[in-house]
């Protein structure tokens, strides 16, 4: 079961709803391939977001570190 659903809009666009699930049996073989590709793309996007948030948190903690602040004040960094 996929943890998302691709919904076709009347204007030809598609949206992804992550709050809906899609059973494998409800898909044609072509749709199954499309869903598999989308699942891979969503996984990569989630990993990139997690990596970005982790780096932002690391920078925030580093900026609040008094030793790093002192080193920047003294011109060491």
């Amino acid at each position: 079961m996929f943890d998302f659903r691709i919904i076709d809009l009347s204007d030809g666009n598609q949206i992804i709803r992550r709050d809906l699930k899609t059973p494998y049996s409800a898909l044609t073989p072509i749709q199954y391939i499309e869903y598999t590709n989308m699942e891979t793309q969503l996984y990569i996007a989630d990993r990139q977001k997690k990596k970005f948030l982790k780096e932002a948190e690391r920078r925030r903690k580093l900026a609040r570190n008094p030793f790093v602040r002192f080193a920047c004040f003294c011109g060491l960094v």
Side-chain angles (χ1 to χ4, degrees):
M1 182 170 294
F2 292 104
D3 293 333
F4 63 93
R5 184 170 293 170
I6 299 173
I7 299 175
D8 295 323
L9 300 178
S10 60
D11 60 357
N13 291 324
Q14 294 179 329
I15 60 170
I16 298 169
R17 295 272 313 259
R18 287 189 167 203
D19 57 334
L20 300 175
K21 297 187 184 295
T22 306
Y24 299 132
S25 60
L27 302 173
T28 64
I30 301 293
Q31 287 176 325
Y32 183 81
I33 293 171
E34 188 176 300
Y35 271 74
T36 305
N37 290 338
M38 185 56 63
E39 184 176 44
T40 304
Q41 291 175 6
L42 289 173
Y43 175 74
I44 292 169
D46 289 343
R47 282 185 46 200
Q48 288 176 342
K49 182 179 178 181
K50 183 178 177 182
K51 184 179 177 182
F52 174 78
L53 293 175
K54 185 176 179 181
E55 178 64 20
E57 180 66 17
R58 186 190 72 78
R59 288 183 184 204
R60 186 189 66 77
K61 286 181 179 179
L62 191 62
R64 295 189 58 168
N65 187 332
F67 295 114
V68 173
R69 291 176 133 192
F70 181 71
C72 290
F73 178 73
C74 293
L76 299 174
V77 175

